[in-house]
Amino acid sequence: SMRSFIPLHLTAFKRAPELLKWMKRVTKGMGMQYLKPSGWFENYHGFGNFVWAPPPAAGEVVVEQLAKSRWKRPEGLHLIVLPRLM
């Protein structure tokens, strides 16, 4: 099956580890919090700036949580890092 060749379970940071180093360098001084899946439902509620890096298979869940967060705290900055599939 063609689906076995599409890495829907891997985040952009797992597919390209140098991307995480670059993101941390670029966002230095902005107080970014890098969310892990366990923090998608709790940590984003607070004040601050967040980086979401979900695998493509979890994209819908992240969009829902991001919408709640933006509605609750519109002053926060949210960056979403998604891998390109093809």
Side-chain angles (χ1 to χ4, degrees):
S1 164
M2 186 63 176
R3 281 195 230 167
S4 64
F5 296 100
I6 302 173
L8 295 176
H9 64 291
L10 296 176
T11 68
F13 295 147
K14 286 193 178 172
R15 289 185 62 191
E18 65 278 358
L19 178 61
L20 178 59
K21 294 176 193 173
W22 180 82
M23 284 288 296
K24 287 185 176 184
R25 193 172 66 244
V26 169
T27 60
K28 186 176 180 180
M30 296 176 70
M32 301 303 287
Q33 298 177 45
Y34 289 79
L35 296 175
K36 295 188 174 170
S38 59
W40 291 350
F41 301 97
E42 298 162 3
N43 297 345
Y44 75 92
H45 287 291
F47 291 100
N49 301 321
F50 302 95
V51 175
W52 304 69
E60 186 176 354
V61 173
V62 167
V63 168
E64 282 181 30
Q65 298 303 313
L66 177 62
K68 289 178 186 177
S69 179
R70 293 295 300 159
W71 180 72
K72 191 173 182 181
R73 304 212 191 282
E75 69 280 352
L77 173 66
H78 294 264
L79 299 176
I80 302 174
V81 183
L82 294 169
R84 183 169 54 175
L85 292 178
M86 301 269 191

Coordinates of all heavy atoms in Angstrom, one line a residue:
S1 N 0.8 -1.2 0.0 CA 0.0 0.0 0.0 C 0.9 1.2 0.0 O 1.9 1.3 0.7 CB -0.9 0.0 1.2 OG -1.5 1.2 1.5
M2 N 0.5 2.3 -0.7 CA 1.2 3.5 -0.8 C 1.3 4.2 0.6 O 2.2 4.9 0.9 CB 0.5 4.4 -1.8 CG 1.3 5.6 -2.1 SD 2.9 5.2 -2.8 CE 3.5 6.8 -3.2
R3 N 0.3 4.0 1.4 CA 0.3 4.7 2.7 C 1.5 4.3 3.6 O 1.8 5.1 4.5 CB -1.0 4.3 3.5 CG -2.2 5.1 3.0 CD -3.3 5.0 4.0 NE -4.5 4.6 3.3 CZ -5.6 4.2 3.9 NH1 -5.6 4.0 5.2 NH2 -6.6 3.9 3.2
S4 N 2.0 3.1 3.4 CA 3.2 2.7 4.2 C 4.4 3.6 3.9 O 5.3 3.6 4.7 CB 3.5 1.3 4.0 OG 3.9 1.1 2.6
F5 N 4.4 4.3 2.9 CA 5.5 5.2 2.5 C 5.3 6.7 2.9 O 6.2 7.5 2.8 CB 5.8 5.2 1.0 CG 6.2 3.8 0.5 CD1 5.3 3.0 -0.1 CD2 7.5 3.4 0.7 CE1 5.7 1.7 -0.5 CE2 7.9 2.2 0.2 CZ 7.0 1.3 -0.4
I6 N 4.1 7.0 3.5 CA 3.8 8.3 3.9 C 3.9 8.4 5.4 O 3.1 7.8 6.1 CB 2.4 8.8 3.4 CG1 2.4 8.7 1.9 CG2 2.1 10.2 3.9 CD1 1.0 8.9 1.3
P7 N 4.9 9.1 6.0 CA 5.1 9.2 7.4 C 4.2 10.1 8.2 O 4.5 11.2 8.6 CB 6.6 9.6 7.6 CG 6.8 10.5 6.4 CD 5.9 9.9 5.3
L8 N 2.9 9.7 8.3 CA 1.9 10.5 9.0 C 2.1 10.6 10.5 O 1.6 11.4 11.2 CB 0.5 9.9 8.8 CG 0.0 10.0 7.3 CD1 -1.3 9.3 7.2 CD2 0.0 11.4 6.8
H9 N 3.0 9.7 11.1 CA 3.2 9.7 12.5 C 4.5 10.5 13.0 O 4.7 10.6 14.2 CB 3.4 8.2 12.9 CG 4.6 7.5 12.3 ND1 4.7 7.3 11.0 CD2 5.7 7.1 12.9 CE1 5.9 6.7 10.7 NE2 6.5 6.6 11.9
L10 N 5.2 11.0 12.0 CA 6.4 11.7 12.4 C 6.2 13.3 12.4 O 5.7 13.8 11.4 CB 7.6 11.4 11.4 CG 8.0 9.9 11.5 CD1 9.1 9.7 10.4 CD2 8.5 9.5 12.8
T11 N 6.8 13.9 13.4 CA 6.7 15.4 13.4 C 7.8 16.0 12.5 O 8.7 15.2 12.1 CB 6.9 15.9 14.8 OG1 8.3 15.7 15.2 CG2 6.0 15.3 15.8
A12 N 7.7 17.2 12.2 CA 8.7 17.9 11.4 C 10.1 17.8 12.1 O 11.1 17.7 11.5 CB 8.3 19.3 11.2
F13 N 10.1 18.0 13.5 CA 11.3 17.9 14.2 C 12.0 16.5 14.2 O 13.2 16.4 14.3 CB 11.1 18.4 15.6 CG 10.7 19.9 15.7 CD1 9.9 20.3 16.7 CD2 11.2 20.8 14.8 CE1 9.5 21.6 16.9 CE2 10.8 22.1 14.9 CZ 10.0 22.5 15.9
K14 N 11.1 15.5 14.1 CA 11.7 14.1 14.1 C 12.2 13.8 12.7 O 13.2 13.1 12.5 CB 10.7 13.1 14.5 CG 10.4 13.1 16.0 CD 9.7 11.9 16.4 CE 9.6 12.0 17.9 NZ 8.7 11.1 18.5
R15 N 11.5 14.4 11.7 CA 12.0 14.1 10.3 C 13.2 15.0 9.9 O 14.0 14.6 9.1 CB 10.9 14.5 9.3 CG 9.8 13.4 9.4 CD 8.7 13.7 8.4 NE 9.2 13.6 7.0 CZ 8.5 13.9 6.0 NH1 7.3 14.4 6.1 NH2 9.0 13.8 4.8
A16 N 13.4 16.1 10.6 CA 14.5 17.0 10.3 C 15.0 17.6 11.6 O 14.6 18.7 12.0 CB 14.1 18.1 9.3
P17 N 15.8 16.9 12.4 CA 16.3 17.4 13.7 C 17.0 18.7 13.7 O 16.9 19.5 14.6 CB 17.3 16.3 14.2 CG 16.9 15.1 13.4 CD 16.4 15.6 12.1
E18 N 17.6 19.1 12.6 CA 18.2 20.4 12.5 C 17.2 21.5 12.5 O 17.5 22.7 12.8 CB 19.1 20.5 11.3 CG 18.4 20.4 9.9 CD 18.1 19.0 9.5 OE1 18.5 18.0 10.1 OE2 17.5 18.9 8.4
L19 N 16.0 21.2 12.1 CA 14.9 22.2 12.2 C 14.6 22.7 13.6 O 14.4 23.9 13.8 CB 13.6 21.7 11.5 CG 12.4 22.6 11.5 CD1 12.7 23.8 10.7 CD2 11.2 21.8 11.0
L20 N 14.7 21.9 14.6 CA 14.4 22.3 15.9 C 15.5 23.2 16.4 O 15.2 24.2 17.0 CB 14.4 21.0 16.9 CG 14.2 21.3 18.3 CD1 12.9 22.1 18.6 CD2 14.2 20.0 19.1
K21 N 16.8 22.9 16.1 CA 17.9 23.8 16.4 C 17.7 25.2 15.8 O 17.9 26.2 16.4 CB 19.2 23.2 16.0 CG 19.6 21.9 16.7 CD 20.8 21.4 16.1 CE 21.1 19.9 16.6 NZ 22.2 19.3 15.9
W22 N 17.3 25.2 14.5 CA 17.1 26.4 13.8 C 15.9 27.2 14.4 O 16.1 28.4 14.6 CB 16.8 26.1 12.3 CG 16.6 27.4 11.5 CD1 17.5 28.2 11.0 CD2 15.3 28.0 11.2 NE1 16.9 29.2 10.3 CE2 15.5 29.1 10.4 CE3 14.0 27.6 11.5 CZ2 14.5 29.9 9.9 CZ3 13.0 28.4 11.0 CH2 13.2 29.5 10.2
M23 N 14.8 26.6 14.8 CA 13.7 27.2 15.4 C 14.1 27.9 16.7 O 13.7 29.0 17.0 CB 12.5 26.3 15.6 CG 11.8 25.9 14.4 SD 10.7 27.2 13.7 CE 9.6 27.4 15.1
K24 N 14.8 27.1 17.5 CA 15.3 27.7 18.8 C 16.2 28.9 18.6 O 16.1 29.8 19.4 CB 15.9 26.6 19.6 CG 14.9 25.6 20.2 CD 15.5 24.6 21.1 CE 14.5 23.7 21.7 NZ 15.0 22.7 22.6
R25 N 17.0 28.8 17.6 CA 17.9 30.0 17.4 C 17.1 31.2 16.9 O 17.3 32.3 17.3 CB 19.0 29.6 16.3 CG 20.1 30.5 16.2 CD 21.2 30.0 15.3 NE 20.8 29.9 13.9 CZ 20.8 28.7 13.3 NH1 21.1 27.6 13.9 NH2 20.4 28.7 12.0
V26 N 16.2 31.0 16.0 CA 15.4 32.1 15.4 C 14.4 32.7 16.4 O 14.2 33.9 16.4 CB 14.6 31.6 14.2 CG1 13.6 32.6 13.7 CG2 15.5 31.2 13.1
T27 N 13.9 31.9 17.3 CA 12.9 32.4 18.3 C 13.6 32.7 19.7 O 12.8 33.0 20.6 CB 11.8 31.4 18.5 OG1 12.3 30.1 19.0 CG2 11.0 31.2 17.2
K28 N 14.9 32.8 19.7 CA 15.6 33.0 21.0 C 15.1 34.4 21.5 O 15.0 35.4 20.8 CB 17.1 33.1 20.7 CG 17.9 33.2 21.9 CD 19.4 33.1 21.6 CE 20.2 33.3 22.9 NZ 21.6 33.2 22.6
G29 N 14.8 34.4 22.8 CA 14.4 35.7 23.4 C 12.9 35.9 23.4 O 12.4 36.9 23.9
M30 N 12.2 35.1 22.7 CA 10.7 35.2 22.6 C 10.0 34.5 23.6 O 8.7 34.5 23.7 CB 10.3 34.8 21.2 CG 10.8 35.7 20.1 SD 10.4 35.1 18.4 CE 8.6 35.5 18.4
G31 N 10.7 33.7 24.4 CA 10.0 32.9 25.5 C 9.1 31.8 24.9 O 8.0 31.5 25.5
M32 N 9.5 31.2 23.8 CA 8.7 30.2 23.2 C 8.6 28.9 24.1 O 9.7 28.5 24.6 CB 9.2 29.8 21.8 CG 9.2 31.0 20.8 SD 7.6 31.8 20.6 CE 6.7 30.7 19.6
Q33 N 7.5 28.3 24.2 CA 7.3 27.0 24.8 C 7.1 26.0 23.8 O 6.1 26.1 23.0 CB 6.2 27.0 25.8 CG 6.4 28.0 27.0 CD 5.2 28.1 27.9 OE1 4.6 27.0 28.2 NE2 4.7 29.3 28.2
Y34 N 7.9 25.0 23.7 CA 7.7 23.9 22.7 C 6.9 22.8 23.3 O 7.2 22.1 24.2 CB 9.1 23.4 22.3 CG 9.9 24.4 21.4 CD1 10.5 25.4 22.0 CD2 9.9 24.3 20.1 CE1 11.2 26.4 21.3 CE2 10.6 25.2 19.3 CZ 11.3 26.2 19.9 OH 11.9 27.1 19.1
L35 N 5.6 22.8 22.7 CA 4.6 21.8 23.3 C 4.9 20.4 22.8 O 5.2 20.2 21.6 CB 3.2 22.3 22.9 CG 2.8 23.6 23.4 CD1 1.4 24.0 22.8 CD2 2.7 23.6 24.9
K36 N 4.7 19.5 23.7 CA 4.8 18.1 23.3 C 3.3 17.6 23.3 O 2.4 18.3 23.9 CB 5.6 17.3 24.4 CG 7.0 17.7 24.3 CD 7.9 16.8 25.2 CE 9.3 17.3 24.9 NZ 10.3 17.0 25.5
P37 N 3.0 16.4 22.8 CA 1.6 16.0 22.7 C 0.9 16.0 24.1 O -0.2 16.3 24.2 CB 1.7 14.6 22.2 CG 2.9 14.6 21.3 CD 3.9 15.5 22.0
S38 N 1.7 15.7 25.2 CA 1.1 15.7 26.5 C 0.6 17.1 26.9 O -0.2 17.3 27.7 CB 2.0 15.1 27.5 OG 3.2 15.8 27.6
G39 N 1.3 18.1 26.3 CA 0.9 19.5 26.7 C -0.1 20.1 25.8 O -0.5 21.3 26.0
W40 N -0.5 19.4 24.8 CA -1.5 20.0 23.9 C -2.9 20.3 24.5 O -3.6 21.1 24.1 CB -1.8 19.0 22.7 CG -0.7 18.9 21.8 CD1 0.5 19.6 21.7 CD2 -0.6 17.9 20.7 NE1 1.3 19.2 20.7 CE2 0.7 18.1 20.1 CE3 -1.4 16.9 20.3 CZ2 1.1 17.3 19.0 CZ3 -1.0 16.1 19.2 CH2 0.2 16.3 18.6
F41 N -3.2 19.6 25.6 CA -4.5 19.7 26.3 C -4.4 20.5 27.6 O -5.4 20.8 28.1 CB -5.1 18.4 26.5 CG -5.2 17.6 25.3 CD1 -4.3 16.6 24.9 CD2 -6.3 17.8 24.4 CE1 -4.5 15.9 23.7 CE2 -6.5 17.1 23.3 CZ -5.5 16.2 22.9
E42 N -3.2 20.9 28.0 CA -3.1 21.6 29.3 C -2.2 22.8 29.2 O -2.6 23.9 29.7 CB -2.5 20.6 30.4 CG -3.4 19.4 30.6 CD -2.7 18.3 31.3 OE1 -1.5 18.4 31.6 OE2 -3.3 17.2 31.5
N43 N -1.0 22.7 28.7 CA 0.0 23.7 28.8 C -0.3 24.9 28.0 O 0.1 26.0 28.3 CB 1.4 23.2 28.4 CG 1.9 22.1 29.4 OD1 1.3 22.0 30.4 ND2 2.9 21.4 29.0
Y44 N -1.1 24.8 26.9 CA -1.3 25.9 26.0 C -2.3 26.9 26.6 O -2.5 28.0 26.1 CB -1.9 25.4 24.7 CG -3.3 25.0 24.7 CD1 -4.3 25.9 24.4 CD2 -3.6 23.7 25.1 CE1 -5.7 25.5 24.5 CE2 -4.9 23.3 25.2 CZ -6.0 24.2 24.9 OH -7.2 23.8 24.9
H45 N -3.0 26.6 27.7 CA -4.0 27.4 28.3 C -3.4 28.7 29.0 O -4.1 29.7 29.1 CB -4.8 26.7 29.4 CG -5.8 25.7 28.8 ND1 -6.9 26.1 28.2 CD2 -5.8 24.4 28.9 CE1 -7.6 25.0 27.8 NE2 -6.9 24.0 28.2
G46 N -2.1 28.6 29.3 CA -1.5 29.8 30.0 C -1.1 30.9 29.1 O -1.3 30.9 27.9
F47 N -0.5 31.9 29.7 CA 0.0 33.0 29.0 C 1.3 32.6 28.3 O 2.0 31.8 28.9 CB 0.2 34.2 29.9 CG -1.1 34.8 30.4 CD1 -1.5 34.5 31.7 CD2 -1.8 35.7 29.6 CE1 -2.7 35.1 32.1 CE2 -3.0 36.3 30.0 CZ -3.4 35.9 31.3
G48 N 1.6 33.2 27.2 CA 2.9 32.9 26.6 C 2.8 32.7 25.1 O 1.8 32.8 24.5
N49 N 4.0 32.2 24.6 CA 4.1 31.9 23.2 C 4.4 30.5 23.0 O 5.2 29.9 23.8 CB 5.3 32.8 22.6 CG 5.0 34.3 22.8 OD1 3.9 34.7 22.6 ND2 6.0 35.0 23.1
F50 N 3.9 29.8 22.0 CA 3.9 28.4 21.9 C 4.3 28.0 20.5 O 3.9 28.6 19.5 CB 2.6 27.8 22.3 CG 2.1 28.1 23.6 CD1 1.3 29.2 23.8 CD2 2.5 27.4 24.7 CE1 0.8 29.6 25.1 CE2 2.1 27.8 26.0 CZ 1.3 28.8 26.2
V51 N 5.0 26.8 20.4 CA 5.4 26.2 19.2 C 4.7 24.8 19.2 O 4.9 24.0 20.1 CB 6.9 26.0 19.0 CG1 7.2 25.2 17.7 CG2 7.6 27.4 18.9
W52 N 3.9 24.6 18.2 CA 3.2 23.3 18.1 C 3.9 22.6 16.9 O 4.0 23.1 15.9 CB 1.7 23.5 17.7 CG 0.9 24.3 18.6 CD1 1.0 25.7 18.8 CD2 -0.2 23.9 19.5 NE1 0.0 26.1 19.7 CE2 -0.7 25.0 20.1 CE3 -0.8 22.6 19.7 CZ2 -1.8 24.9 21.0 CZ3 -1.9 22.6 20.6 CH2 -2.3 23.7 21.2
A53 N 4.2 21.3 17.1 CA 4.9 20.5 16.1 C 4.2 19.1 16.0 O 4.8 18.1 16.4 CB 6.4 20.4 16.3
P54 N 3.0 19.1 15.6 CA 2.3 17.8 15.5 C 2.7 17.0 14.3 O 3.0 17.5 13.3 CB 0.8 18.2 15.4 CG 0.8 19.4 14.7 CD 2.1 20.1 15.1
P55 N 2.5 15.7 14.4 CA 2.6 14.9 13.1 C 1.3 15.1 12.3 O 0.3 15.5 12.9 CB 2.7 13.4 13.6 CG 2.1 13.5 15.0 CD 2.3 14.8 15.5
P56 N 1.4 14.9 11.0 CA 0.2 15.2 10.2 C -1.0 14.5 10.6 O -2.1 15.0 10.5 CB 0.7 14.7 8.8 CG 2.1 14.9 8.8 CD 2.6 14.6 10.2
A57 N -0.9 13.3 11.2 CA -2.0 12.5 11.6 C -2.8 13.2 12.8 O -4.0 12.9 13.0 CB -1.6 11.1 12.0
A58 N -2.1 14.0 13.5 CA -2.7 14.7 14.7 C -3.1 16.1 14.4 O -3.4 16.9 15.3 CB -1.8 14.6 15.9
G59 N -3.0 16.5 13.1 CA -3.2 17.9 12.8 C -4.6 18.5 13.2 O -4.7 19.6 13.7
E60 N -5.6 17.7 13.0 CA -7.0 18.1 13.3 C -7.2 18.4 14.8 O -7.8 19.4 15.2 CB -8.0 17.0 12.9 CG -9.4 17.5 13.1 CD -10.4 16.4 12.6 OE1 -10.0 15.4 12.0 OE2 -11.6 16.7 12.8
V61 N -6.6 17.6 15.7 CA -6.6 17.8 17.1 C -5.9 19.1 17.5 O -6.4 19.9 18.3 CB -6.0 16.6 17.9 CG1 -5.9 16.9 19.4 CG2 -6.7 15.3 17.6
V62 N -4.8 19.3 16.9 CA -4.0 20.5 17.2 C -4.8 21.8 16.8 O -4.8 22.8 17.5 CB -2.6 20.5 16.6 CG1 -1.9 21.8 16.6 CG2 -1.8 19.5 17.3
V63 N -5.4 21.7 15.6 CA -6.2 22.9 15.2 C -7.3 23.2 16.1 O -7.6 24.3 16.4 CB -6.7 22.6 13.7 CG1 -7.7 23.7 13.3 CG2 -5.6 22.6 12.8
E64 N -8.0 22.2 16.6 CA -9.1 22.4 17.6 C -8.5 23.0 18.9 O -9.1 24.0 19.4 CB -9.7 21.0 18.0 CG -10.7 20.5 17.0 CD -11.3 19.2 17.5 OE1 -11.4 19.0 18.7 OE2 -11.6 18.4 16.6
Q65 N -7.4 22.5 19.4 CA -6.8 23.1 20.6 C -6.3 24.5 20.4 O -6.4 25.3 21.3 CB -5.7 22.2 21.2 CG -6.2 20.8 21.5 CD -7.3 20.8 22.6 OE1 -7.2 21.5 23.6 NE2 -8.3 20.1 22.3
L66 N -5.7 24.7 19.3 CA -5.2 26.1 18.9 C -6.4 27.1 18.9 O -6.3 28.2 19.4 CB -4.5 26.0 17.6 CG -4.0 27.3 17.1 CD1 -2.9 27.9 18.0 CD2 -3.3 27.2 15.7
A67 N -7.5 26.7 18.3 CA -8.7 27.5 18.2 C -9.1 27.9 19.6 O -9.5 29.1 19.9 CB -9.8 26.9 17.4
K68 N -9.2 27.0 20.5 CA -9.6 27.2 21.9 C -8.6 28.2 22.5 O -9.0 29.1 23.3 CB -9.6 26.0 22.7 CG -10.8 25.1 22.4 CD -10.7 23.8 23.2 CE -11.8 22.8 22.7 NZ -11.7 21.5 23.5
S69 N -7.3 28.0 22.3 CA -6.3 28.8 22.9 C -6.4 30.3 22.4 O -6.3 31.2 23.1 CB -4.9 28.2 22.6 OG -3.9 29.1 23.2
R70 N -6.5 30.4 21.1 CA -6.6 31.8 20.5 C -7.9 32.5 21.0 O -7.8 33.7 21.2 CB -6.7 31.7 19.0 CG -5.4 31.2 18.3 CD -4.2 32.1 18.5 NE -4.5 33.4 18.0 CZ -3.8 34.5 18.3 NH1 -2.9 34.5 19.2 NH2 -4.1 35.6 17.7
W71 N -8.9 31.8 21.2 CA -10.2 32.4 21.7 C -10.0 32.8 23.1 O -10.4 33.9 23.5 CB -11.3 31.4 21.6 CG -12.6 31.9 22.0 CD1 -13.4 32.9 21.4 CD2 -13.3 31.6 23.2 NE1 -14.5 33.1 22.2 CE2 -14.5 32.3 23.3 CE3 -13.0 30.7 24.3 CZ2 -15.4 32.2 24.3 CZ3 -13.9 30.6 25.3 CH2 -15.1 31.3 25.3
K72 N -9.3 32.0 23.9 CA -9.1 32.3 25.3 C -8.1 33.4 25.6 O -8.2 34.2 26.4 CB -8.7 31.0 26.0 CG -8.7 31.0 27.5 CD -8.4 29.6 28.0 CE -8.5 29.6 29.5 NZ -8.2 28.3 30.1
R73 N -6.9 33.3 24.9 CA -5.8 34.3 25.1 C -5.3 34.8 23.7 O -4.3 34.3 23.2 CB -4.7 33.6 25.8 CG -5.1 33.0 27.2 CD -4.1 33.1 28.2 NE -4.3 32.3 29.4 CZ -5.2 32.7 30.3 NH1 -5.8 33.9 30.2 NH2 -5.4 32.0 31.4
P74 N -6.0 35.7 23.1 CA -5.6 36.2 21.8 C -4.3 36.9 21.7 O -3.7 37.1 20.6 CB -6.8 37.1 21.4 CG -7.4 37.6 22.7 CD -7.2 36.4 23.6
E75 N -3.7 37.3 22.8 CA -2.4 38.0 22.8 C -1.2 37.0 22.6 O -0.1 37.5 22.4 CB -2.2 38.8 24.1 CG -2.0 38.0 25.3 CD -3.3 37.5 25.9 OE1 -4.4 37.8 25.5 OE2 -3.2 36.7 26.9
G76 N -1.4 35.8 22.7 CA -0.3 34.8 22.6 C 0.1 34.6 21.2 O -0.7 34.7 20.2
L77 N 1.3 34.2 21.0 CA 1.9 33.9 19.6 C 1.9 32.3 19.5 O 2.4 31.7 20.5 CB 3.2 34.5 19.4 CG 4.0 34.1 18.2 CD1 3.3 34.6 16.9 CD2 5.4 34.6 18.2
H78 N 1.4 31.8 18.5 CA 1.4 30.4 18.3 C 2.0 30.1 16.9 O 1.6 30.6 15.9 CB 0.0 29.8 18.3 CG -0.7 29.9 19.6 ND1 -0.7 28.8 20.5 CD2 -1.3 30.9 20.2 CE1 -1.3 29.2 21.6 NE2 -1.7 30.5 21.4
L79 N 3.1 29.3 16.9 CA 3.7 28.8 15.6 C 3.4 27.3 15.5 O 3.6 26.6 16.4 CB 5.2 29.0 15.7 CG 5.7 30.5 15.8 CD1 7.2 30.5 15.9 CD2 5.2 31.3 14.7
I80 N 3.0 27.0 14.3 CA 2.7 25.6 14.0 C 3.7 25.1 12.9 O 3.8 25.7 11.9 CB 1.3 25.4 13.5 CG1 0.3 25.9 14.5 CG2 1.0 23.9 13.1 CD1 -1.1 25.8 14.0
V81 N 4.4 24.0 13.2 CA 5.4 23.5 12.3 C 5.0 22.1 11.9 O 4.9 21.2 12.7 CB 6.8 23.4 13.1 CG1 7.9 22.9 12.1 CG2 7.2 24.7 13.7
L82 N 4.7 22.0 10.6 CA 4.2 20.8 10.0 C 5.2 20.3 8.9 O 5.7 21.1 8.2 CB 2.8 20.9 9.4 CG 1.7 21.3 10.4 CD1 0.4 21.7 9.6 CD2 1.4 20.1 11.2
P83 N 5.4 19.0 8.9 CA 6.2 18.5 7.8 C 5.5 18.4 6.5 O 4.3 18.2 6.4 CB 6.6 17.1 8.3 CG 5.4 16.7 9.1 CD 4.9 17.9 9.8
R84 N 6.3 18.6 5.4 CA 5.7 18.4 4.1 C 5.7 16.9 3.8 O 6.7 16.2 4.1 CB 6.6 19.1 3.1 CG 6.1 19.0 1.7 CD 6.8 19.9 0.7 NE 8.2 19.7 0.8 CZ 9.1 20.3 0.0 NH1 8.6 21.2 -0.9 NH2 10.3 20.0 0.1
L85 N 4.6 16.4 3.3 CA 4.5 14.9 3.1 C 5.2 14.4 1.9 O 5.7 13.3 1.8 CB 3.0 14.5 3.1 CG 2.3 14.7 4.5 CD1 0.8 14.4 4.3 CD2 3.0 13.9 5.5
M86 N 5.1 15.2 0.8 CA 5.7 14.7 -0.4 C 6.7 15.6 -1.0 O 6.7 16.7 -0.8 CB 4.6 14.5 -1.5 CG 3.5 13.6 -1.0 SD 3.9 11.9 -1.6 CE 2.4 11.1 -1.3

